[in-house]
Amino acid sequence: MPMKYSRASAPAKVILFGEHFVVNGSRAIATALDLPTVATAIEKASWPLEIESTSLGLRCVTGPELTCSSRELEPLLSIIRALRSRDYDVPPARLTVESDIPPSAGLGSSASASAAAAAALTALAGQDIDPEELFEVTMEGERVAHGNPSGVDPATVVYGGTIVFRRGQGVLERLQGGLSVPLVVADSGLRRSTAAPVLNVLKFLDRVGPLRVSLLGLVEQLIDLAWSAIRGNQLEDIGALMNINHGLLSAIGVSTPELEELVYAARRAGALGAKLTGAGWGGSIIAITRPGEAERVAAALTSRSSWVRVLDGGAPGTRVIKVNP
Ligand code: PMV
């Protein structure tokens, strides 16, 4: 009899506006990228459970106690624990997670892996998981990966489309699709943890006293303007607001010379706006261009980045692709 297997996919994400500030109470806007993680779960007759991440080049074999020697695979173990604690049956399986999303680059690789894995494992057990619960389970993986996540990454990869998100309240608004033009995404190649810059910003905002409230209020205004520019397809306005957002991220100390160089190179090449995306201190930048100009701007970044892509936003959220038989 053929082995039963299931396959699920989850998108990457970029934060268009509001990273870091979203950890501290204001909203953020993020979009799902057309760059999937695919998780395949193959039934096994008995333990151990096998987990492999091809993008991380890591593998783990564990019994029911769920332990792995590699820390990077810990988020996947924690989503299995989270599924079990919610009474999902997670039978022994071989779980493979494949993705072209660069890890630790601000593109949601860990949330995407967790969401795809949880969807594949529940599908293998013949159980439905609704997006609210998938979000909660993916959040458990993010807590292990990042320490103090706002939830914007799991929400974006689970629901897909383009969302306005607030910590503790979840998705406030959602567009099915993305922007009318693709985004230019360039990875600086500098790897970093999300937890360290997040902690640094927390301390920074405490240090600046009453300015904290002003900055968070400014971001709230920025989000209102950005959401209306996105809905109205006002590309020049979106670009200008991205530039302001980047300035704020530099001001709170999460940019680096490498990210600044990429941002300025994109602007020099004609981008309407460019900013770092995600936690900063490395990771990626995004740029928005006039229609038909993304490839040209991307080409201008290749001398500074070995990973430049032109990607559509507004990709679908996490979904089961196949269950067999
Ligand atoms: O892990 P990253 O680089 O995608 O950053 C997530 C965005 C932050 O706002 C910095 C953290 C969070 O949990 O919202």
Side-chain angles (χ1 to χ4, degrees), residues 13-15 18-24 28 104-110 139 142 146 148-154 165 167 192-195 197-198 201 249 277-280 282-284:
K13 72 94 204 16
V14 283
I15 298 178
E19 50 273 269
H20 283 292
F21 299 98
V22 69
V23 176
N24 296 281
S104 307
L107 303 178
S109 63
S110 61
M139 221 17 212
E142 288 298 275
H146 296 166
N148 179 24
S150 67
V152 65
D153 286 19
F165 177 90
R167 184 175 195 166
R192 43 75 188 148
S193 82
T194 297
V198 163
V201 169
L249 290 164
T277 188
S284 306

Side-chain angles (χ1 to χ4, degrees), residues 66 74-90 114 118 121-122 129 133-144:
L66 298 176
E74 194 54 40
L76 294 176
L77 293 181
S78 76
I79 62 129
I80 295 174
R81 286 188 207 104
L83 286 170
R84 283 181 164 180
S85 73
R86 287 171 168 77
D87 290 334
Y88 287 92
D89 179 28
V90 183
S114 292
L121 288 169
T122 48
I129 182 162
E133 201 146 30
L134 186 59
F135 167 77
E136 291 300 337
V137 168
T138 307
M139 221 17 212
E140 292 299 325
E142 288 298 275
R143 284 197 182 98
V144 172

Side-chain angles (χ1 to χ4, degrees), residues 61-309:
V61 177
T62 172
E65 74 288 355
L66 298 176
T67 50
C68 278
S69 55
S70 87
R71 242 196 72 74
E72 285 101 321
L73 293 177
E74 194 54 40
L76 294 176
L77 293 181
S78 76
I79 62 129
I80 295 174
R81 286 188 207 104
L83 286 170
R84 283 181 164 180
S85 73
R86 287 171 168 77
D87 290 334
Y88 287 92
D89 179 28
V90 183
R94 184 141 60 83
L95 175 70
T96 308
V97 179
E98 296 166 277
S99 165
D100 290 330
I101 309 172
S104 307
L107 303 178
S109 63
S110 61
S112 183
S114 292
L121 288 169
T122 48
L124 185 68
Q127 294 167 308
D128 279 339
I129 182 162
D130 62 32
E132 286 74 28
E133 201 146 30
L134 186 59
F135 167 77
E136 291 300 337
V137 168
T138 307
M139 221 17 212
E140 292 299 325
E142 288 298 275
R143 284 197 182 98
V144 172
H146 296 166
N148 179 24
S150 67
V152 65
D153 286 19
T156 313
V157 306
V158 166
Y159 291 98
T162 303
I163 62 166
V164 180
F165 177 90
R166 193 192 295 279
R167 184 175 195 166
Q169 294 179 5
V171 178
L172 304 176
E173 299 197 64
R174 179 172 178 274
L175 291 175
Q176 184 82 19
L179 305 171
S180 64
V181 289
L183 288 165
V184 180
V185 185
D187 176 12
S188 67
L190 297 171
R191 300 282 166 253
R192 43 75 188 148
S193 82
T194 297
V198 163
L199 186 63
N200 206 266
V201 169
L202 224 65
K203 288 186 190 150
F204 181 89
L205 290 177
D206 276 348
R207 195 172 312 125
V208 295
L211 259 186
R212 178 183 197 279
V213 177
S214 309
L215 285 169
L216 292 174
L218 189 61
V219 172
E220 284 287 90
Q221 272 185 304
L222 190 90
I223 297 291
D224 282 336
L225 291 172
W227 190 241
S228 115
I230 289 169
R231 291 170 60 99
N233 192 30
Q234 290 145 352
L235 299 180
E236 304 221 356
D237 293 347
I238 298 170
L241 294 165
M242 276 186 180
N243 288 343
I244 294 176
N245 197 158
H246 181 75
L248 291 173
L249 290 164
S250 294
I252 61 172
V254 293
S255 192
T256 65
E258 294 82 358
L259 292 170
E260 293 297 324
E261 276 190 24
L262 283 167
V263 162
Y264 279 89
R267 291 178 191 163
R268 267 199 307 276
L272 296 171
K275 64 182 277 290
L276 74 84
T277 188
W281 282 7
S284 306
I285 68 120
I286 51 171
I288 185 171
T289 69
R290 292 185 185 83
E293 294 189 2
E295 294 290 349
R296 185 167 53 77
V297 171
L301 302 180
T302 51
S303 61
R304 291 179 176 80
S305 164
S306 58
W307 194 94
V308 185
R309 298 286 185 279

